[in-house]
Amino acid sequence: MKFKAVIFDLDGVICFTDEYHYLAWKQVADELGAYFDRDINNRLRGVSRMDSLDIILENYHGEPLSAERKQDIAERKNGLYREYLKKMSTADLSDEVRDTLIRLRELGLKLAIGSSSKNTKLILERIGLSGFFDAVSDGNNISRSKPDPEVFLKAADMLGEAPADCLVVEDAVSGAQAGHAGGMQVACLGDASEKKAGDYNLSAFSQLLDII
Ligand code: BG6
Ligand code: MG
């Protein structure tokens, strides 16, 4: 086995909350009169809530916004997003992802989450994975967002494994950069795989079993 542990991004890897992020940001951007589309949304993958807002505001040309107002806008987005999350259930965890996770565990690998999201706990609960992972490092225990490696280094530390023994799984280019900056190998799916940002660029989650 090449690795001792696998650290998974959550949104866009374990489950597909990215459409909900898009819909919530789209509503907020429309309210602000700021142009927003799916290409811009791709730039928000892996990026923290406040950094995402700054990207959205690149297309905002209205009155200057105070720090307090920006905080309110981010909270508004999060409220809309959490309403969408209520629709999630164990049906949002695919058989492929669940079976692959179980197989990886059977093979003796430690499994962790490394997500920028402050909603990680809620999402894991909704999809029935609460308590499944050996460690959860998320937006609540970091001060620097991806592409900074902090979230993955903390996950490796919680697992008690060296970064070089960990494989990061990501759908975001910023997340792949974060894994590399932390001295980890990276397997990419989705957008980051299309952009060939990983050491392994996969087309299906189950292909992880071929590379570990
Ligand atoms: C990441 C998403 O997982 O979490 C980003 O890819 C999102 O799009 C970030 O901005 C922060 O999420 P939250 O749930 O803390 O607003
Ligand atoms: Mg992601």
Side-chain angles (χ1 to χ4, degrees):
M1 207 109 63
K2 283 191 226 126
F3 304 98
K4 292 185 181 163
V6 187
I7 307 173
F8 298 90
D9 173 51
L10 179 63
D11 296 319
V13 170
I14 299 289
C15 59
F16 294 90
T17 47
D18 34 359
E19 183 65 13
Y20 297 149
H21 277 297
Y22 169 74
L23 291 171
W25 279 127
K26 174 74 179 146
Q27 186 165 337
V28 165
D30 286 352
E31 286 166 9
L32 287 166
Y35 177 76
F36 182 64
D37 62 19
R38 286 177 191 275
D39 283 339
I40 301 171
N41 190 57
N42 274 338
R43 291 174 57 203
L44 310 184
R45 289 176 194 278
V47 175
S48 73
R49 199 179 306 161
M50 290 312 287
D51 289 349
S52 296
L53 177 58
D54 282 336
I55 291 173
I56 280 159
L57 293 178
E58 288 172 11
N59 288 301
Y60 169 77
H61 306 296
E63 293 291 306
L65 301 171
S66 66
E68 199 183 17
R69 175 83 179 99
K70 281 171 66 173
Q71 198 64 47
D72 288 347
I73 295 167
E75 272 168 35
R76 161 117 181 100
K77 182 267 172 179
N78 196 45
L80 293 166
Y81 177 60
R82 285 176 72 96
E83 278 301 309
Y84 286 118
L85 292 182
K86 283 185 188 163
K87 297 184 193 186
M88 291 186 87
S89 71
T90 51
D92 288 288
L93 179 67
S94 72
D95 290 347
E96 182 190 5
V97 170
R98 193 193 52 237
D99 293 350
T100 305
L101 289 172
I102 290 170
R103 186 74 194 119
L104 290 168
R105 162 130 323 139
E106 283 169 357
L107 290 167
L109 286 149
K110 291 185 189 170
L111 307 179
I113 291 288
S115 167
S116 306
S117 175
K118 294 186 170 170
N119 291 298
T120 295
K121 192 166 166 273
L122 172 64
I123 296 165
L124 290 176
E125 275 165 17
R126 305 280 333 162
I127 62 175
L129 283 181
S130 189
F132 175 83
F133 291 94
D134 301 301
V136 175
S137 173
D138 66 19
N140 297 300
N141 65 12
I142 54 169
S143 51
R144 295 178 302 279
S145 172
K146 299 169 186 176
D148 189 284
E150 185 180 12
V151 75
F152 293 134
L153 291 174
K154 288 214 164 136
D157 193 48
M158 288 176 193
L159 293 173
E161 298 294 350
D165 291 324
C166 299
L167 175 69
V168 161
V169 187
E170 263 293 348
D171 72 309
V173 173
S174 64
Q177 291 167 341
H180 285 145
M184 301 167 188
Q185 288 195 54
V186 180
C188 286
L189 289 159
D191 187 60
S193 179
E194 280 164 32
K195 291 177 178 149
K196 303 264 179 285
D199 303 288
Y200 307 93
N201 295 294
L202 312 180
S203 54
F205 192 90
S206 57
Q207 289 173 355
L208 286 170
L209 295 169
D210 303 329
I211 63 169
I212 46 114

